[in-house]
């Protein structure tokens, strides 16, 4: 049974992992437990991927965590597990915490700004407002400012509504400590999260105006839709050219956007897409996917622009990814 997403190499890796786990169980004469373990894992796979992705900001690393989770889950005696969903989330959280330490070292040497890996998402993600908010580019960057344990506690409590006792087991802390961590993380996020409610329709309207202004070279039109203190972040990962530092201010951002695209000696197209549960734009050069642009809205204007160009981060824009909680 295939349990991984669109990439052929990823499918092969997890299918192999799943088969190895099943063979381990069968070697002990417990085929029924192997089948039950597979069914439980597949049933909760989207949830586990979402937990790992929100913890890591990387779909590729989230997939690796799921492989590690499967291998550990395949060796568990299901007769000792009271709540299989909670147990799987616990394994995924611990594996994500382990990987966060590696990612932290990797980000320290990253060229330019580091942005989360964008996901082409299914319509139901946008319909779940809380889930869409939690995986938005803006929120994912806020989560980056938390410590690994704070991030785990916040995600499990605020997004997935797990009880403090369950979270305590996942992060190996006491329930009392988890309550304190949750309070601290909640206050930290509240001070940094995007202000004000913005509907999908408002975001689409702003992006449409942004697109028209860029395509027609309308500087004033672009200035009208950008907040005066808009911030542009670019992520090329040292592979593609991108701004190495945040660009602040409507005039600087507008001139950079218009100047950069006009100078390109290729056909440039911009298309709307649903990315991380929110309206975004996909830029193609001569028909090839080049950049994903997500936005943060405030007071009807674009307050933040997040342009991901690193080709290693664009593989999950080929096919929609299902998320759940």
């Amino acid at each position: 049974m295939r349990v991984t997403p669109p990439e052929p190499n990823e499918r092969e890796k997890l299918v192999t992992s799943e088969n190895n786990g099943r063979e381990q169980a069968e070697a002990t004469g417990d085929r029924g437990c192997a089948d039950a373990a597979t069914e439980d894992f597949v049933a909760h796979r989207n949830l586990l991927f979402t937990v790992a992705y929100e913890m890591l900001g990387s779909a590729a690393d989230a997939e690796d965590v799921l492989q590690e989770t499967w291998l550990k889950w395949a060796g568990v005696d299901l007769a000792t597990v009271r709540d299989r969903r909670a147990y799987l989330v616990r394994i995924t959280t611990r594996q994500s915490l382990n990987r966060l330490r590696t990612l932290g070292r990797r980000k320290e040497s990253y060229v330019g700004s580091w942005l989360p890996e964008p996901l082409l998402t299914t319509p139901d993600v946008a319909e779940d407002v809380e889930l869409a908010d939690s995986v938005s580019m803006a929120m994912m960057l806020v989560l980056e400012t938390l410590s690994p344990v704070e991030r785990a506690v916040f995600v499990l409590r605020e997004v997935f509504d797990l009880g403090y006792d369950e979270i305590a087991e996942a992060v190996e802390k006491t329930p009392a400590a988890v309550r304190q961590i949750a309070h601290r993380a909640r206050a930290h996020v509240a001070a940094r999260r995007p202000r004000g409610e913005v509907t999908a329709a408002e975001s689409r309207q702003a992006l449409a105006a942004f697109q028209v202004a860029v395509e027609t070279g309308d500087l004033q039109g672009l200035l009208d839709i950008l907040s005066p203190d808009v911030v542009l972040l670019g992520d090329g990962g040292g592979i593609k050219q991108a701004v190495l530092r945040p660009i602040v201010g409507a005039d600087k951002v507008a001139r950079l956007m218009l100047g950069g695209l006009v100078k390109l000696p290729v056909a440039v197209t911009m298309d709307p897409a649903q990315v991380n549960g929110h309206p975004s734009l996909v830029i193609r050069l001569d028909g090839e996917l080049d950049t994903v642009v997500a936005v943060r809205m405030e007071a009807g204007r674009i307050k933040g622009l997040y342009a991901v160009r690193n080709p290693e981060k664009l593989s999950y824009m080929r096919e929609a990814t299902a998320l759940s909680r």
Side-chain angles (χ1 to χ4, degrees):
M1 181 180 295
R2 293 182 178 181
V3 294
T4 43
E7 286 297 304
N9 59 332
E10 294 298 333
R11 280 202 300 266
E12 290 167 6
K13 284 194 287 184
L14 196 47
V15 168
T16 300
S17 297
E18 181 189 334
N19 288 339
N20 289 343
R22 183 184 290 113
E23 287 167 6
Q24 289 173 13
E26 288 177 2
T28 65
D30 197 350
R31 175 61 182 271
C33 284
D35 289 342
T38 301
E39 289 172 5
D40 287 326
F41 185 85
V42 172
H44 297 300
R45 189 193 183 287
N46 291 345
L47 163 70
L48 302 178
F49 176 85
T50 307
V51 169
Y53 176 71
E54 292 210 25
M55 287 277 294
L56 303 170
S58 164
D61 284 291
E63 288 295 347
D64 288 343
V65 163
L66 258 63
Q67 292 177 49
E68 295 160 2
T69 298
W70 164 254
L71 289 174
K72 287 188 175 296
W73 176 245
V76 171
D77 180 0
L78 299 186
T80 66
V81 179
R82 179 177 55 82
D83 185 335
R84 296 180 184 183
R85 176 183 182 273
Y87 199 101
L88 280 163
V89 169
R90 187 190 316 164
I91 298 174
T92 301
T93 301
R94 289 179 180 175
Q95 296 305 311
S96 296
L97 283 170
N98 291 338
R99 189 160 290 260
L100 266 177
R101 298 180 181 95
T102 301
L103 282 179
R105 292 191 292 271
R106 193 189 306 169
K107 290 171 187 174
E108 289 174 2
S109 59
Y110 199 78
V111 178
S113 299
W114 182 95
L115 291 174
E117 190 171 350
L119 304 177
L120 186 66
T121 46
T122 52
D124 60 303
V125 175
E127 293 166 4
D128 186 337
V129 177
E130 290 185 6
L131 177 60
D133 176 64
S134 71
V135 296
S136 69
M137 281 284 182
M139 178 55 77
M140 295 287 280
L141 285 174
V142 172
L143 294 180
E144 284 291 314
T145 64
L146 297 172
S147 72
V149 173
E150 286 176 337
R151 185 167 185 168
V153 170
F154 181 86
V155 166
L156 295 179
R157 180 63 182 170
E158 301 300 316
V159 181
F160 298 96
D161 198 30
L162 265 65
Y164 290 112
D165 289 344
E166 290 178 286
I167 299 173
E169 289 190 36
V171 299
E172 299 180 293
K173 303 281 185 183
T174 66
V178 166
R179 286 179 182 274
Q180 291 181 337
I181 294 169
H183 176 76
R184 187 168 63 244
R186 203 176 295 120
H188 184 98
V189 170
R192 293 164 176 77
R193 73 187 308 157
R195 300 282 191 272
E197 296 286 336
V198 179
T199 67
E202 289 173 324
S203 294
R204 283 193 295 269
Q205 184 177 4
L207 276 170
F210 175 87
Q211 179 179 347
V212 169
V214 170
E215 290 177 338
T216 60
D218 181 1
L219 177 61
Q220 188 55 53
L222 200 49
L223 292 172
D224 290 341
I225 198 59
L226 297 176
S227 176
D229 56 350
V230 63
V231 177
L232 167 66
L233 296 177
D235 182 342
I239 301 172
K240 287 287 190 74
Q241 184 177 0
V243 294
L244 295 178
R245 297 178 181 83
I247 305 297
V248 182
D251 189 68
K252 289 182 181 178
V253 170
R255 293 183 185 280
L256 179 66
M257 292 293 297
L258 294 180
L261 290 175
V262 167
K263 293 176 183 177
L264 291 174
V266 295
V268 180
T269 58
M270 303 178 75
D271 301 294
Q274 199 75 7
V275 178
N276 288 51
H278 293 271
S280 303
L281 286 174
V282 173
I283 299 177
R284 290 183 171 83
L285 305 184
D286 279 343
E288 294 294 323
L289 175 62
D290 180 82
T291 309
V292 173
V293 180
V295 299
R296 173 167 70 90
M297 299 289 299
E298 189 174 301
R301 288 186 169 187
I302 296 174
K303 180 85 168 181
L305 278 165
Y306 312 106
V308 182
R309 295 198 71 204
N310 184 347
E312 294 179 354
K313 291 187 175 184
L314 299 180
S315 61
Y316 281 77
M317 290 299 299
R318 299 171 187 161
E319 186 174 332
T321 299
L323 303 175
S324 71
R325 51 187 191 115

